[in-house]
Amino acid sequence: MGLKLQYQNEYQSPRGGALGALLLLLFPIFLPSLFSPFGHASPSMLSEWNVMVKSNAQEGNVPKSRHQRLLRSALQRQTSEEELSELWTPLANQAWKPCIEPSIAPSLPEKSEGFIQVFLDGGLNQQRMGICDAVAVAKILNATLVIPYLEVNPVWRDSSSFMDIFDVDHFINVLKDDISIVKELPSDFSWSTREYYATAIRATRVKTAPVHASANWYLENVLPVLQSYGIAAIAPFSHRLTFDTLPMDIQRLRCKVNFQALSFVPHIRALGDALISRLRYPSSKSGAIGTNHLLEMPNVKGKQGAGKFVVLHLRFDKDMAAHSACDFGGGKAEKLALAKYRQVLWQGRVLNSQFTDKELRSQGRCPLTPEEIGLVLAALGFDNSTRLYLASHKVYGGEARIANLRHLFPLMEEKKSLASSEERAQIKGKASLLAALDYYVSMHSDIFVSASPGNMHNALVGHRTYENLKTIRPSMGLLGQLFLNKSITWSDFQQSVVEGHENRQGQIRFRKPKQSIYTYPAPDCMCQA
């Protein structure tokens, strides 16, 4: 119901105060190019801007609780054993099962039409969808797919490649009967690189693919390039294949890629398994390990009394806070800082800024703060003994912003608290690998909750639907209206939250026209059992 906020950038948290506000007012004078209506803020300029803000705006006056009445009641909450049992009960069989086998046995063409290259931008989950679409396009064109090139995110500066994130041999093996895949181009085509296409207009580059292009568009516009040159490089490629009017076997192939072929590299899976074990069995957190080898974890399969845990994906970074144009209780200094930040990134082209905070919240357009999602979880019945894993990057406002969430759930864990510095060494500073680890742990949790819609939310909702796993989707419109009511009692709040989420816990939802197959895998990739 809420506005889907899908932004990739992560910046330092603001430090507020009068000096910071003054500097922000002076920025347009000293750095006019950042604020030009037709200008474009380059990564280096944004980085410079962040460094200037950091010294004055990182540890700002984080607002006190905006829902003190609810918070006091939530901290005193008690949940009966019967309610807890129902809360943690897995989803019942919904009479639907994964169904991705093609209608006829797959086979490779006698001759490939040529090589398909794609260049994918965005974060991990946007790139994941692009990889699935690339396989589908290669199948449509009877072409050979070159392992997709992942662009360096200009803000995160993460240069992780496909092979750094995904198990490439597993990827090729799972799809070996569907399409031909090569890790790199043969020497005859070694000239076809990102640098080659960045320097001039090239006949082999396809850059006019419309968003959600049809299969016929690729047959009419890309196949001739393949037949003429033996190669076609498509960039940009994100969201460049339709979700409708495609043959069933192509749709199922996309799901096969997403749910079977894309497996993370072994060290991500190993670290993920270790975190999962430590969440279920807290005593297993101890133990010395080497830099390159994880502590061997005990085999816990089949043991009685295994603990349960919920993953909370908390997307409350500075980009989301700024783009939402909502008021988060930080006063005039925070409003000014976020407004200037909004101007730097989007030159004022933010639809939400036309509405008041009350209007945005009543429409469910404001992201839930850490405190608010904590109150929602408490109202649903999660008590203070809940093992909660926080899947997030830097939270706007830092540790102070999540203090009330931690008070509600004192057993909350995250990557830093569960894994040693040696274990985290291979993923430190690499946003895509950090996101991959969170994704892996999220897929193995008993319950998954996302505080706000976005790419990670959509990807995991789809994947967990496919696996029939309990997934709570906050009703953003309902919650926005509840939090606007400052006189609401805890009992009324709790009743409204429980009733409003009875049918938002992983029940099958069928894909509608134009909706993503990766978020709604039924009925395209699922069959009635």
Side-chain angles (χ1 to χ4, degrees):
M1 295 178 65
L3 181 65
K4 294 190 176 180
L5 304 172
Q6 301 174 354
Y7 309 104
Q8 311 302 324
N9 306 331
E10 296 243 358
Y11 291 85
Q12 300 292 334
S13 306
R15 275 185 197 173
L19 181 58
L22 177 61
L23 286 174
L24 286 167
L25 286 170
L26 294 176
F27 277 169
I29 299 174
F30 296 108
L31 297 172
S33 60
L34 282 178
F35 296 86
S36 168
F38 301 101
H40 176 72
S42 68
S44 60
M45 294 170 76
L46 288 174
S47 298
E48 180 182 350
W49 186 83
N50 272 324
V51 169
M52 294 176 69
V53 173
K54 179 180 178 182
S55 61
N56 298 291
Q58 191 169 14
E59 296 291 342
N61 297 321
V62 176
K64 296 179 181 180
S65 169
R66 304 191 75 191
H67 312 285
Q68 290 186 7
R69 189 175 180 180
L70 292 177
L71 183 62
R72 282 195 298 268
S73 297
L75 288 170
Q76 299 172 9
R77 71 197 184 280
Q78 292 184 342
T79 307
S80 69
E81 289 296 324
E82 182 181 353
E83 291 172 323
L84 284 173
S85 176
E86 182 179 352
L87 183 64
W88 289 104
T89 298
L91 275 180
N93 189 323
Q94 301 186 69
W96 285 82
K97 65 179 182 179
C99 193
I100 57 174
E101 294 305 316
S103 57
I104 58 175
S107 61
L108 299 177
E110 292 184 4
K111 181 184 177 183
S112 171
E113 295 287 356
F115 295 98
I116 285 287
Q117 283 182 296
V118 296
F119 299 83
L120 302 174
D121 55 15
L124 172 71
N125 294 294
Q126 185 174 329
Q127 291 173 339
R128 185 184 185 105
M129 292 184 286
I131 293 165
C132 300
D133 289 348
V135 170
V137 168
K139 183 69 173 179
I140 291 168
L141 298 175
N142 285 332
T144 298
L145 177 67
V146 184
I147 289 295
Y149 180 93
L150 308 186
E151 296 280 7
V152 177
N153 187 289
V155 176
W156 285 339
R157 306 291 177 89
D158 185 351
S159 59
S160 297
S161 68
F162 183 105
M163 297 183 194
D164 293 327
I165 303 169
F166 300 107
D167 187 332
V168 67
D169 292 325
H170 175 83
F171 179 77
I172 293 173
N173 184 60
V174 169
L175 300 172
K176 66 181 186 299
D177 296 326
D178 298 290
I179 65 167
S180 295
I181 304 174
V182 295
K183 295 181 181 179
E184 57 185 27
L185 287 166
S187 57
D188 291 352
F189 293 96
S190 60
W191 47 267
S192 184
T193 64
R194 183 186 184 283
E195 292 70 28
Y196 173 76
Y197 294 109
T199 55
I201 297 174
R202 309 294 186 181
T204 53
R205 180 186 173 185
V206 178
K207 60 179 181 179
T208 57
V211 173
H212 299 157
S214 67
N216 283 338
W217 188 92
Y218 284 96
L219 291 169
E220 294 170 1
N221 294 274
V222 181
L223 184 58
V225 177
L226 284 173
Q227 293 172 334
S228 296
Y229 301 98
I231 190 170
I234 310 175
F237 187 69
S238 295
H239 309 294
R240 290 310 197 270
L241 182 62
T242 183
F243 290 117
D244 304 310
T245 67
L246 287 176
M248 179 184 68
D249 286 353
I250 294 296
Q251 297 286 63
R252 289 185 173 182
L253 178 58
R254 294 165 99 175
C255 289
K256 182 177 181 179
V257 180
N258 195 29
F259 303 134
Q260 288 189 6
L262 286 176
S263 177
F264 296 122
V265 290
H267 76 85
I268 290 292
R269 301 199 307 270
L271 180 53
D273 286 337
L275 300 193
I276 293 162
S277 180
R278 292 165 195 174
L279 284 162
R280 297 199 185 280
Y281 300 92
S283 61
S284 67
K285 285 172 65 175
S286 60
I289 59 173
T291 303
N292 299 316
H293 301 282
L294 288 166
L295 172 67
E296 185 176 351
M297 303 307 299
N299 181 8
V300 298
K301 291 183 179 179
K303 287 187 178 181
Q304 297 298 317
K308 298 180 183 296
F309 71 97
V310 56
V311 167
L312 169 60
H313 176 244
L314 182 60
R315 183 70 200 275
F316 194 74
D317 56 33
K318 189 173 181 180
D319 279 18
M320 173 170 278
H323 197 277
S324 72
C326 299
D327 180 4
F328 298 107
K332 292 183 178 179
E334 180 179 84
K335 286 182 180 179
L336 177 61
L338 292 179
K340 292 297 183 182
Y341 189 79
R342 201 158 44 239
Q343 177 68 25
V344 171
L345 263 66
W346 300 288
Q347 290 79 48
R349 297 189 296 269
V350 176
L351 178 63
N352 279 10
S353 60
Q354 303 174 23
F355 301 95
T356 66
D357 180 74
K358 184 176 180 179
E359 289 172 333
L360 292 172
R361 292 188 181 280
S362 64
Q363 297 172 28
R365 293 190 175 191
C366 293
L368 297 176
T369 65
E371 178 188 44
E372 289 170 343
I373 190 61
L375 290 170
V376 171
L377 293 176
L380 288 170
F382 293 99
D383 63 14
N384 61 8
S385 67
T386 301
R387 301 285 295 174
L388 185 70
Y389 175 82
L390 187 62
S392 71
H393 291 299
K394 293 178 181 177
V395 174
Y396 175 62
E399 182 63 29
R401 180 76 72 171
I402 64 174
N404 288 333
L405 174 63
R406 200 177 292 280
H407 290 156
L408 288 166
F409 299 98
L411 299 184
M412 186 170 72
E413 303 276 12
E414 51 192 320
K415 290 179 281 289
K416 286 185 178 180
S417 64
L418 286 173
S420 68
S421 57
E422 290 83 0
E423 285 175 298
R424 302 194 311 272
Q426 284 186 278
I427 62 174
K428 184 178 180 180
K430 298 178 179 179
S432 292
L433 294 181
L434 291 166
L437 179 61
D438 282 342
Y439 190 106
Y440 186 86
V441 175
S442 297
M443 277 305 300
H444 289 79
S445 65
D446 298 278
I447 300 173
F448 173 78
V449 185
S450 183
S452 301
N455 283 335
M456 183 80 155
H457 165 95
N458 293 338
L460 279 161
V461 164
H463 202 160
R464 289 178 65 91
T465 296
Y466 183 79
E467 300 286 354
N468 196 47
L469 300 172
K470 183 172 280 191
T471 307
I472 299 174
R473 299 180 297 106
S475 175
M476 302 299 287
L478 168 66
L479 296 173
Q481 294 176 32
L482 291 177
F483 284 123
L484 279 173
N485 184 355
K486 298 302 181 182
S487 63
I488 192 170
T489 64
W490 174 252
S491 60
D492 288 342
F493 176 79
Q494 186 174 30
Q495 181 179 351
S496 297
V497 169
V498 170
E499 291 177 353
H501 291 83
E502 284 179 347
N503 297 314
R504 302 179 67 88
Q505 300 192 24
Q507 291 83 355
I508 293 284
R509 295 179 298 156
F510 296 107
R511 190 179 70 84
K512 298 176 182 178
K514 297 185 179 180
Q515 287 184 331
S516 169
I517 197 172
Y518 307 120
T519 307
Y520 305 92
D524 303 80
C525 302
M526 302 183 75
C527 309
Q528 286 189 297

